[in-house]
Amino acid sequence: MPLSYDPAARTLTISTDGTTYQMKIDEHGYLLHLYYGARAEGDLSYLVTYCDRSGMCGCPHDVADRTYSLDVLPQELPFQGSGDMRSPALLVRDAEGTFGCDLRYRSHEIRPGKYALPGLPAVYAGEGDDAETLSVTLADERLGLEVELLYGVLPRLDVITRAAVVRNNGTGRVTVEKLQSACLDLVTGDLDVITFDGRHAMERRPTRRHLLNGSLSVGSRRGMSSNQYNPLMIACDHAATETSGRCWSMSFVYSGGFLAEAERDQFDQSRIQMGLDDDLFSYPLEPGEKIVAPEVIMTYSGAGLERVSHNLHRCIRRNVCRGPWRDAPRPILINSWEACYFDFTGDKLVELAKKAAELGLDMLVMDDGWFGARSDDHRGLGDWKPNMAKLGGTVADLARRVNEVGLGFGIWVEPEMVNEDSDLFRAHPDWALTVPGKEPVLGRDQLVLDLSRPEVRDNLFEQLCAVLDQGGIDYVKWDYNRSIVDVYSRTASDQGKVLYDYMLGLYDLLERVRSRYPELLIEGCSAGGGRFDAGMLYYTPQIWTSDNTDARNRLEIQYGTSFGYPCSAMGAHVSACPNEITGRTVPLGARGTVAMGGGAFGYELDLMELNDRACELIKSQVKTYRTIEHLVREGLFYRLTDPKDATVAAWEFVAEDGSEALVCAVVTRVDGYGLANYVVPRGLTPGARYSMVSNGDVYSADALMDMGLPVSVPATPYESFMYRFERVD
Ligand code: GLA
């Protein structure tokens, strides 16, 4: 059984196939964290030690034991007011504004199945997952406050999730000022912390830092998970590598602002937390009200970072993403953005579609510029009516013409935004998030619509339906291109609720669109990769990874993204050179190899400008992709080198059953008269032999995984290689 309670030891244990998580209801009613690590049996209470440190560490009055202090003890939900002076997971104020609470165990329950969080994205259990839920309720009698900690377990995936529900059952207002969804207090370990940082067009590059005394945190107060920091944090042994060392990860299933914290305390214990951004959050609960802390996915690996990624990939791919596209090959796209930006007509797109059909592509996506007065990025957002003059008819007419040349059809939208120069804004200026009397802060000349208001969502839903109901649209790219700065909703009872309620509104709108158009493929996007998180992946099985399509930079961006997210989720396109953003020229071959590392592959350049050689190469890339697509989408992903420093950027996909593998390499640097670069694959079946598909040569898996495979040193950088292997015995 994945969940068990030992009444003698008062321990609650969560077991997965390879890991154990244990907590204890101690004699004073506090919920201590005992252990999260390799699978272990029995009572692990001995891990927590007690001695008198009372000069500095407080003790609750009724406990009256100088060896007992919550400033020292590992906890499941550290809260302000307990004497724990480390960073709390929960901070509340009562109706008078006084800080602090005292939460003690009240009850617990073990239920079959994985809990859901109505209105919020969450991991769901599939058939055969044997998921269970543990709910532990803590209560503060004085405030009438109740916190229900929810733990979900997917035993086969070695995944444990945590969320929390905070309820005000008292008679006065309680304001939640800080709410972390998950907290891991680890009593031992000299740890590093890895965060995934960047900026617009350079997202999610790993930053690894040694956790010394004090705290480090990353987060977003942008109302979006952000291009700058990703809601993914991994703590690991200081010496951990891809294949060795203990690692604990947290991935937030939420797309708004977040806070990820790591702290090493006075006794060298570590606290890792993740949850809602607390800077622009202050959530009053009137009697009877509640707030749900969104879910965090946790996984533990005793065998390095690679296993963390495998666990997260499987979980997100199979237990977060939903709908018919979850397991289906995704269409190979030609996207109009880098092909023509705003400068297109219906006729031009049909020409592009014809060429794309010749090259073997599946779908044309009409990006920004097809609606309202949207001739540039200063106007038109909010008016989701086609510019018929530009398109030469309705969207459905254009879709039909594109279908006639043999391609599917998709459109770009950015429903959460409005330009001041738009009919929607002229009719409803109060629907935008702006602070009365203050000059609003613009981003890309646009304002954010107040999605916490149902009438705003209704309007957007109706506008979107009016386009989608015409038929012919198979795909939507759902963009979001600025941060929220002016946090003020005309209808909010308290402005501290707005950013959280905005996200509930966004999820509501996405869910309505999904349920009305269940076959629609929605690709998430946010100035490229600004909302690349497990929350969005619940609604959109793929996300545009970055606006940066330069293959050299993409190697790093996709490498970093792969720590927490499956390749099936990554939108990756081949674009023109010199690259629009970096000015770099990389050969088309390498651009293809890199973009084929994403499960949502495509092209984003003016196909009409290509010469015959390029067209032939694209045809062969498309053919190749169709033969490897299943490995990219479903295979286990191995980071063979770190592209930032390596001479050869190399990665690999291996079928779950080991029957086939694909090793990819891009030589990023050529040094004088080198001999060969050796790429060392992993994950092949030990003892087996593999044949290289291109020439039938047979290799021993063990030798490949030991000495590696020589990759020749090319004459110029950015030559790329793809080696497909099939197991022969
Ligand atoms: C964002 C997206 C791009 C493109 C433009 C259109 O920047 O990330 O891919 O869709 O918007 O305005």
Side-chain angles (χ1 to χ4, degrees):
M1 295 293 277
L3 290 171
S4 59
Y5 175 59
D6 175 348
R10 304 231 298 171
T11 52
L12 285 157
T13 305
I14 309 176
S15 311
T16 70
D17 286 2
T19 69
T20 292
Y21 185 112
Q22 196 174 81
M23 63 194 96
K24 182 185 182 76
I25 306 148
D26 80 4
E27 56 185 309
H28 310 297
Y30 292 113
L31 188 64
L32 303 185
H33 175 79
L34 296 182
Y35 178 82
Y36 189 21
R39 173 117 189 182
E41 309 299 327
D43 176 9
L44 300 162
S45 305
Y46 68 86
L47 283 168
V48 176
T49 56
Y50 299 85
C51 62
D52 184 355
R53 295 282 175 267
S54 62
M56 276 301 157
C57 309
C59 164
H61 189 265
D62 60 325
V63 173
D65 170 355
R66 287 172 57 139
T67 70
Y68 188 96
S69 171
L70 290 168
D71 202 14
V72 179
L73 291 168
Q75 294 155 74
E76 285 297 311
L77 184 79
F79 51 86
Q80 201 283 330
S82 69
D84 184 343
M85 309 311 277
R86 295 168 288 183
S87 185
L90 180 72
L91 175 61
V92 297
R93 300 173 78 154
D94 67 14
E96 273 73 54
T98 313
F99 292 103
C101 59
D102 187 6
L103 289 164
R104 310 231 187 168
Y105 170 84
R106 176 174 280 169
S107 62
H108 76 267
E109 195 194 346
I110 291 172
R111 305 194 280 263
K114 161 76 177 56
Y115 65 84
L117 300 174
L120 281 166
V123 166
Y124 64 93
E127 233 172 82
D129 280 337
D130 295 336
E132 288 189 355
T133 293
L134 166 67
S135 145
V136 185
T137 301
L138 311 175
D140 178 306
E141 300 298 340
R142 178 180 67 94
L143 296 173
L145 189 70
E146 201 177 85
V147 180
E148 183 185 6
L149 299 177
L150 288 163
Y151 300 82
V153 53
L154 292 159
R156 292 192 217 312
L157 298 183
D158 284 338
V159 156
I160 296 171
T161 64
R162 201 178 92 174
V165 185
V166 182
R167 291 190 186 89
N168 181 358
N169 293 336
T171 51
R173 166 190 271 222
V174 176
T175 302
V176 182
E177 304 285 359
K178 180 179 180 190
L179 183 53
Q180 294 290 47
S181 297
C183 172
L184 264 183
D185 274 354
L186 303 170
V187 288
T188 66
D190 179 25
L191 303 183
D192 280 4
V193 171
I194 310 176
T195 55
F196 298 86
D197 316 326
R199 56 180 180 268
H200 178 212
M202 214 56 226
E203 293 88 352
R204 290 176 299 286
R205 284 165 307 153
T207 309
R208 183 167 175 164
R209 280 169 281 194
H210 193 184
L211 184 59
L212 301 173
N213 292 90
S215 58
L216 68 87
S217 67
V218 297
S220 159
R221 358 181 137 73
R222 294 168 185 268
M224 62 204 269
S225 51
S226 91
N227 307 71
Q228 287 71 15
Y229 301 102
N230 193 260
L232 168 71
M233 185 182 254
I234 303 175
C236 60
D237 282 330
H238 186 47
T241 66
E242 282 287 349
T243 52
S244 70
R246 300 173 305 156
C247 311
W248 298 260
S249 72
M250 287 190 180
S251 173
F252 202 21
V253 191
Y254 187 67
S255 316
F258 74 96
L259 175 64
E261 299 174 278
E263 179 172 0
R264 180 160 165 158
D265 74 8
Q266 54 186 327
F267 303 107
D268 295 328
Q269 308 179 106
S270 304
R271 171 169 290 175
I272 314 296
Q273 301 192 76
M274 187 170 283
L276 296 168
D277 163 49
D278 62 341
D279 281 348
L280 295 166
F281 172 85
S282 172
Y283 210 95
L285 299 176
E286 300 302 335
E289 289 184 343
K290 64 170 186 194
I291 179 170
V292 179
E295 176 169 283
V296 166
I297 303 172
M298 295 187 283
T299 190
Y300 166 83
S301 154
L305 296 160
E306 174 182 291
R307 184 172 297 167
V308 163
S309 299
H310 288 173
N311 295 348
L312 288 173
H313 292 181
R314 287 194 185 102
C315 176
I316 289 178
R317 221 169 52 214
R318 296 211 292 249
N319 299 81
V320 173
C321 295
R322 299 177 294 167
W325 289 102
R326 186 188 71 170
D327 303 319
R330 313 288 167 74
I332 303 178
L333 307 180
I334 169 69
N335 180 297
S336 69
W337 183 242
E338 288 191 46
C340 33
Y341 297 99
F342 292 102
D343 182 19
F344 62 83
T345 61
D347 289 342
K348 180 159 179 181
L349 294 184
V350 173
E351 286 311 303
L352 200 58
K354 274 188 196 149
K355 187 74 187 172
E358 253 174 67
L359 301 178
L361 275 51
D362 299 319
M363 186 179 286
L364 175 109
V365 175
M366 173 168 68
D367 209 283
D368 196 355
W370 58 268
F371 52 89
R374 188 77 170 168
S375 50
D376 53 36
D377 66 2
H378 304 294
R379 67 205 84 246
L381 288 174
D383 300 339
W384 301 103
K385 288 171 199 66
N387 179 339
M388 307 256 288
K390 186 169 179 176
L391 302 190
T394 64
V395 175
D397 293 335
L398 182 59
R400 207 168 308 116
R401 292 174 69 197
V402 170
N403 291 163
E404 272 162 21
V405 305
L407 256 64
F409 182 72
I411 60 168
W412 176 96
V413 293
E414 193 178 0
E416 299 156 74
M417 298 291 167
V418 68
N419 286 116
E420 287 171 290
D421 186 357
S422 69
D423 292 342
L424 187 74
F425 186 80
R426 281 183 283 273
H428 301 285
D430 63 310
W431 283 8
L433 291 167
T434 56
V435 175
K438 170 186 175 297
E439 287 296 332
V441 174
L442 296 173
R444 209 189 185 197
D445 266 347
Q446 61 201 48
L447 296 168
V448 186
L449 288 167
D450 182 358
L451 261 66
S452 70
R453 292 172 66 172
E455 64 275 29
V456 177
R457 302 199 295 273
D458 288 347
N459 174 288
L460 295 172
F461 184 64
E462 279 158 27
Q463 288 205 61
L464 291 174
C465 291
V467 182
L468 295 171
D469 281 348
Q470 291 179 24
I473 298 171
D474 311 302
Y475 158 110
V476 162
K477 177 174 170 187
W478 186 296
D479 211 339
Y480 177 92
N481 277 313
R482 60 157 293 183
S483 313
I484 300 178
V485 177
D486 293 306
V487 184
Y488 185 90
S489 165
R490 262 84 185 156
T491 56
S493 58
D494 191 292
Q495 301 306 325
K497 298 167 80 168
V498 172
L499 288 180
Y500 178 85
D501 288 353
Y502 178 97
M503 288 316 298
L504 294 183
L506 168 65
Y507 292 143
D508 169 61
L509 181 59
L510 281 164
E511 193 60 35
R512 282 164 78 182
V513 173
R514 272 195 80 253
S515 10
R516 178 150 168 162
Y517 307 99
E519 305 296 319
L520 187 70
L521 172 59
I522 311 180
E523 173 159 339
C525 180
S526 174
R531 250 184 350 200
F532 205 115
D533 54 69
M536 279 311 283
L537 287 167
Y538 188 68
Y539 304 92
T540 71
Q542 61 191 56
I543 299 177
W544 182 229
T545 311
S546 176
D547 272 350
N548 188 342
T549 49
D550 168 59
R552 177 72 188 90
N553 283 171
R554 269 301 184 112
L555 285 169
E556 286 182 49
I557 294 167
Q558 292 172 199
Y559 167 85
T561 306
S562 80
F563 279 83
Y565 305 96
C567 296
S568 58
M570 293 188 212
H573 295 172
V574 173
S575 65
C577 275
N579 182 269
E580 290 281 348
I581 289 180
T582 64
R584 193 182 346 252
T585 293
V586 171
L588 183 54
R591 278 180 272 156
T593 303
V594 174
M596 285 189 227
F601 175 57
Y603 291 80
E604 180 135 357
L605 73 179
D606 191 349
L607 302 174
M608 316 308 283
E609 289 189 355
L610 298 175
N611 61 29
D612 291 349
R613 241 185 88 233
C615 289
E616 286 313 306
L617 186 51
I618 289 180
K619 277 188 200 162
S620 96
Q621 286 176 343
V622 169
K623 272 199 199 117
T624 302
Y625 189 70
R626 297 205 194 279
T627 64
I628 62 163
E629 173 290 313
H630 61 289
L631 278 176
V632 177
R633 192 163 39 79
E634 295 173 338
L636 292 171
F637 181 74
Y638 293 86
R639 292 174 291 268
L640 302 183
T641 63
D642 177 348
K644 186 153 93 13
D645 318 306
T647 307
V648 179
W651 63 100
E652 181 195 16
F653 302 93
V654 182
E656 288 257 4
D657 66 359
S659 59
E660 46 178 337
L662 173 74
V663 176
C664 304
V666 177
V667 179
T668 53
R669 206 179 66 216
V670 175
D671 296 324
Y673 294 147
L675 205 53
N677 300 296
Y678 286 80
V679 169
V680 186
R682 297 200 295 274
L684 304 175
T685 310
R689 291 181 312 146
Y690 282 80
S691 125
M692 195 183 278
V693 173
S694 59
N695 58 15
D697 287 355
V698 174
Y699 296 80
S700 139
D702 298 321
L704 281 175
M705 292 194 289
D706 188 323
M707 286 287 190
L709 181 74
V711 172
S712 60
V713 177
T716 51
Y718 300 112
E719 195 155 318
S720 70
F721 304 86
M722 290 174 100
Y723 304 103
R724 267 186 73 206
F725 292 99
E726 282 171 0
R727 196 175 53 205
V728 287
D729 49 20

